[in-house]
Amino acid sequence: MASEGADVERNDEKVDEKVDEEKAVAAAEAARPVGGGSVRVDSWIWSVRLVKTRSAGATACRGGHVRVNGDRVKPAYAVRVGDEVRLRQGIRERVVVVKRVIRKRVGAPVAAECYVDNSPPPPPREAIAPAGVRDRGAGRPTKRDRREMERLRGLGGPDSP
């Protein structure tokens, strides 16, 4: 008897998952562009959650951090299915291929279905040089301290050894 109740709960969960998936697909279909098969690149990278805001996407485009098929693009560039979009975020570069064009921001699971992620794995935390750690209460670093920290990081000027 107890197992019958568990089976009913599992079936309900499966039905709920199926309904959620259907809603997600419907949301993605509703987010498609009305007329053609293209959408602005700044809007697309925002809608698939590669950047937090659309204005951040536009700023990245203007700064030359977004490339479509190898070319730097302006925010109004039209993205189509099959395009390769490269987005540089800090030290990491995201490489995605457009699978579905959407114009509205959708949930993360649906957004992940709109592109194929070909990004290289992020570097391990150990590979990233740690920032200079100072003792608590040591005060502001002196010019000599700053130069030593830059030399350790490899950021020294032309006259550094």
Side-chain angles (χ1 to χ4, degrees), residues 2 16 38 41-42 44-45 50 59 78 83 89 91 93 100 106 110 115-117 138 141-142 151:
D16 289 341
S38 65
V41 68
D42 62 340
W44 187 82
I45 62 176
L50 294 178
T59 303
D83 285 347
Q89 296 173 318
I91 60 170
E93 184 177 33
R100 180 185 293 159
V106 293
V110 179
Y115 61 87
V116 178
D117 196 357
T142 63
R151 191 173 66 247

Side-chain angles (χ1 to χ4, degrees), residues 11-154:
N11 289 338
D12 289 344
E13 290 174 5
K14 289 180 184 176
V15 170
D16 289 341
E17 289 175 8
K18 193 172 189 178
V19 169
D20 290 341
E21 186 176 321
E22 289 172 359
K23 286 182 182 178
V25 169
E29 292 300 321
R32 281 200 154 159
V34 177
S38 65
V39 71
R40 290 173 57 112
V41 68
D42 62 340
S43 179
W44 187 82
I45 62 176
W46 166 74
S47 61
V48 295
R49 297 176 176 262
L50 294 178
V51 293
K52 287 188 178 184
T53 63
R54 182 173 170 194
S55 63
T59 303
C61 291
R62 277 190 237 105
H65 301 290
V66 178
R67 293 177 177 263
V68 177
N69 298 328
D71 298 327
R72 285 184 175 180
V73 294
K74 293 182 178 181
Y77 184 84
V79 176
R80 293 176 176 78
V81 175
D83 285 347
E84 180 188 66
V85 178
R86 291 178 173 264
L87 173 67
R88 198 174 52 205
Q89 296 173 318
I91 60 170
R92 186 170 182 210
E93 184 177 33
R94 301 285 306 265
V95 180
V96 296
V97 177
V98 179
K99 206 163 85 171
R100 180 185 293 159
V101 178
I102 58 174
R103 61 181 168 78
K104 292 183 181 176
R105 194 167 174 99
V106 293
V110 179
E113 294 175 1
C114 294
Y115 61 87
V116 178
D117 196 357
N118 295 332
S119 304
R125 288 186 177 251
E126 296 83 34
I128 300 171
V133 179
R134 294 182 51 82
D135 294 331
R136 187 172 174 98
R140 185 174 174 175
T142 63
K143 192 178 218 180
R144 181 179 179 183
D145 293 338
R146 180 186 55 82
R147 287 181 176 160
E148 287 176 4
M149 286 188 289
E150 287 179 353
R151 191 173 66 247
L152 286 173
R153 288 188 201 139

